[in-house]
Amino acid sequence: MSKLNRIPKSRLVAVGAVLAVILYLAVNSLSATLFRSSRIDLTDGGLYSLSHGTVTMLDKLDEPIHMRLFMSAGLHEAAPALSAYASRVRAMLDTYESLSHGKITLEVIDPQPYSEEEDRAVGLGINRISLDGSSDPIYFGLAATNSTNGTANIPVFTPDREAFLEYDLTRLVAELGQPKKPVVALLDGLGMAGNPMMGQEPAQILTMLKETYSVETVAGDIDKLPDNTRVVLVVQPQKLSDRTLYTLDQWVLAGGATLVFADPFAETQAGPQPGVPVENNATDFQKMFDAWGVGFDAQKAIGDPDWAIRTQRNIGGRQAEVANYPWFAIHDDGFDRGDAVTSKLNAVVMTTAGSFTATGKDATLKPLMYASADAGLLPAGEAADPYGDPRALLSKIEKSGGRPVVAARLEGKLHTAFPDGKPKDSAAEAAPIKESASAPNVILVGDADMLSDRNWLQKQNVLGRQVAQAFANNGDFLLNAVEQMAGGVALADLRSRTVSWRPFTRIDALERAAEERFLAKQQELTQ
């Protein structure tokens, strides 16, 4: 202590300042290394936190994946608005790498103009970004490969996809992390594949499904499903032969995962030929419903005064925005929050949907989605009329005493729809199954139109590309259901967080009330 007293105070202050600077730099360097990918997420819904499904997937990842982040050094200067997003992308990728136990390696590349790195970026499908004020192209994308020459990429990270960042990265890892994609067998009665000759693109939900699964469309008389089938997706079934129905019947009774979209009036159903209208827009799956103990009236559609969507109609020669009762958005208590498929959904848009009831003794329905408490049923043909005044349907809505069930799981014991055995022309070799020996893995949905782009997507031009922006969780519902039914959980925790449906519910309620009063007064004066 006496020696310290002999040291001038000015020297002690200088030494202390130097030590403080050294300590600051050491702590800063250590924290930058150890906590670069750490962050506190205070957003509503936890948009910036890795989901449990992603963490679990990274922990169990077996396939090595090499990621290449092509990010130009001039990105921050040329596009200051992207600076924070670029840092977030880098931090997220660091997190994926650190949680993968060495299975994911990250390489950050600055593709200088006319360099081998730029050629490499272009060859791997990374898009150039041309920005005002910058003479050189900018790159901000990701390319990844696995050990079996599998490739996947994100051509460009755009700000409008920031809320989808974890989904995009997890989908990419899931795609490369499995050597062989599981098969989804699709019976498509809606026309989801589009028509290239007519310039009709495939439904976006089908494109998204193919990113994770091998989707095989099956048609005609089906005696055997494709090898490695994990889920059978039946969309708007019509005129299916007994051979096909028997194959589905046996698949379901054996515990096979089956997702059925049945619609009383499929407004977006494609005709048999371009320009030829559909002969019948109602589903035809009654034989299976009867065997399963499920009630579904293909002549009735749901009308929902409370959750109705307002649409433009020509009323008396004038364009008017009116409540379209057969078109409604399910939200809030319309979802079963205790089920993984619907627990985090915000909104699902249905159009002329049907409802399900349990009619048998052995099978029951576990509802996943409801219409509102004010909803009821009305004639499907009138509900789908695109030229009528939907307000005239209000008086025709018939309530049954309970909330209409729009989607449900099928539970209990199921019985075959073919008690006398397989059809004579069936080539099935296995012995017939008369009833289910285990819990069924079946989800029923009363609307096929919900899979169409118009029900949940809007497209806009971003950096010269058409980008689809989701305004509802229709696609999330299907993908969550397929993943859960197929046994996957990696993406189910995070998809539904990507949509921020924030309707003006109080204003909508006031508009509905005023409209109903006006309609009542109009009818009174007319009489």
Side-chain angles (χ1 to χ4, degrees):
M1 186 69 181
S2 59
K3 293 181 179 181
L4 289 177
N5 290 333
R6 290 196 294 268
I7 299 176
K9 291 185 177 181
S10 59
R11 183 175 297 178
L12 288 176
V13 172
V15 171
V18 171
L19 291 176
V21 171
I22 293 175
L23 180 62
Y24 170 78
L25 293 176
V27 171
N28 191 54
S29 176
L30 183 63
S31 63
T33 302
L34 297 179
F35 306 111
R36 179 170 57 185
S37 60
S38 299
R39 56 194 180 277
I40 298 176
D41 187 357
L42 302 178
T43 61
D44 182 19
L47 295 177
Y48 299 97
S49 300
L50 284 184
S51 68
H52 175 72
T54 296
V55 174
T56 302
M57 181 197 68
L58 294 174
D59 183 60
K60 297 180 179 180
L61 188 64
D62 294 326
E63 179 72 14
I65 298 174
H66 184 60
M67 292 184 173
R68 299 172 180 85
L69 175 61
F70 292 93
M71 185 165 61
S72 299
L75 175 66
H76 298 274
E77 181 178 353
L82 290 177
S83 181
Y85 184 35
S87 299
R88 170 164 148 66
V89 169
R90 174 63 193 276
M92 184 74 82
L93 291 172
D94 287 337
T95 302
Y96 275 68
E97 182 183 31
S98 64
L99 294 178
S100 68
H101 306 292
K103 292 298 182 180
I104 294 178
T105 54
L106 176 64
E107 179 184 3
V108 182
I109 302 172
D110 175 17
Q112 295 291 333
Y114 310 108
S115 65
E116 292 183 1
E117 288 77 9
E118 183 180 36
D119 294 339
R120 198 168 160 201
V122 174
L124 289 171
I126 305 303
N127 291 347
R128 295 183 176 93
I129 304 175
S130 298
L131 298 175
D132 295 337
S134 176
S135 58
D136 297 325
I138 300 295
Y139 295 88
F140 185 30
L142 180 72
T145 56
N146 61 12
S147 63
T148 60
N149 296 323
T151 61
N153 66 17
I154 298 175
V156 60
F157 290 101
T158 55
D160 64 294
R161 293 287 298 179
E162 182 170 6
F164 292 80
L165 178 59
E166 186 184 352
Y167 164 70
D168 290 338
L169 294 177
T170 299
R171 175 195 55 76
L172 183 145
V173 173
E175 179 181 346
L176 295 176
Q178 51 190 0
K180 188 175 182 181
K181 290 183 178 181
V183 173
V184 173
L186 171 63
L187 282 78
D188 181 13
L190 189 66
M192 297 174 64
N195 189 332
M197 300 297 294
M198 297 293 294
Q200 298 173 354
E201 297 182 355
Q204 180 69 18
I205 185 59
L206 183 60
T207 302
M208 294 174 66
L209 198 62
K210 289 181 178 180
E211 292 173 347
T212 307
Y213 301 92
S214 176
V215 180
E216 296 191 19
T217 302
V218 292
D221 293 325
I222 304 168
D223 294 313
K224 184 179 182 298
L225 294 169
D227 294 337
N228 198 33
T229 294
R230 301 289 292 276
V231 178
V232 174
L233 181 58
V234 184
V235 180
Q236 190 60 357
Q238 291 179 326
K239 299 181 180 179
L240 299 180
S241 67
D242 279 350
R243 288 172 60 181
T244 299
L245 291 176
Y246 178 76
T247 301
L248 293 176
D249 175 83
Q250 296 297 290
W251 167 265
V252 168
L253 294 179
T258 309
L259 188 53
V260 180
F261 289 82
D263 199 314
F265 198 106
E267 300 169 354
T268 60
Q269 183 176 349
Q273 295 179 357
V276 178
V278 179
E279 180 182 350
N280 182 13
N281 295 80
T283 194
D284 179 16
F285 209 53
Q286 200 59 44
K287 187 169 187 175
M288 305 301 292
F289 288 152
D290 290 342
W292 296 342
V294 174
F296 182 83
D297 190 342
Q299 304 300 317
K300 298 287 187 180
I302 297 172
D304 196 329
D306 193 16
W307 289 346
I309 295 174
R310 301 182 68 83
T311 58
Q312 289 285 337
R313 285 293 178 90
N314 189 312
I315 309 296
R318 293 184 178 181
Q319 289 295 321
E321 186 180 272
V322 296
N324 193 353
Y325 303 120
W327 290 22
F328 57 95
I330 300 173
H331 52 84
D332 298 334
D333 64 342
F335 299 110
D336 177 11
R337 298 300 182 185
D339 194 288
V341 172
T342 53
S343 62
K344 296 180 181 179
L345 300 183
N346 294 324
V348 169
V349 173
M350 298 282 189
T351 54
T352 58
S355 66
F356 298 98
T357 57
T359 61
K361 296 180 180 179
D362 298 330
T364 58
L365 293 175
K366 180 180 180 292
L368 294 176
M369 292 191 287
Y370 299 89
S372 78
D374 291 333
L377 300 180
L378 45 80
E382 296 183 39
D385 182 6
Y387 304 108
D389 186 347
R391 295 174 298 182
L393 299 173
L394 182 62
S395 60
K396 299 182 180 182
I397 296 177
E398 299 178 358
K399 298 182 181 180
S400 59
R403 297 177 64 176
V405 176
V406 189
R409 290 186 183 276
L410 191 55
E411 298 184 336
K413 180 175 289 187
L414 303 183
H415 300 278
T416 180
F418 297 86
D420 298 329
K422 67 179 183 180
K424 294 181 180 180
D425 57 349
S426 173
E429 299 177 355
I433 303 174
K434 297 295 184 180
E435 61 182 31
S436 59
S438 58
N441 191 8
V442 178
I443 291 180
L444 307 175
V445 184
D447 186 29
D449 295 316
M450 68 164 290
L451 302 176
S452 299
D453 291 355
R454 69 156 198 189
N455 277 45
W456 67 288
L457 290 175
Q458 59 184 3
K459 295 184 179 180
Q460 56 185 351
N461 189 291
V462 178
L463 299 178
R465 298 171 59 243
Q466 283 291 322
V467 177
Q469 183 72 37
F471 60 82
N473 294 121
N474 296 31
D476 301 334
F477 170 80
L478 173 65
L479 296 173
N480 287 350
V482 170
E483 282 166 3
Q484 192 205 51
M485 298 175 79
V489 297
L491 301 180
D493 285 346
L494 57 95
R495 273 204 180 92
S496 55
R497 300 187 305 173
T498 62
V499 173
S500 56
W501 177 281
R502 296 292 187 269
F504 295 99
T505 54
R506 180 170 297 182
I507 294 177
D508 288 345
L510 291 172
E511 288 180 342
R512 283 194 299 270
E515 189 173 86
E516 290 172 7
R517 288 195 302 269
F518 172 79
L519 181 60
K521 188 65 175 178
Q522 183 185 51
Q523 292 176 344
E524 178 184 345
L525 294 174
T526 301
Q527 293 174 359

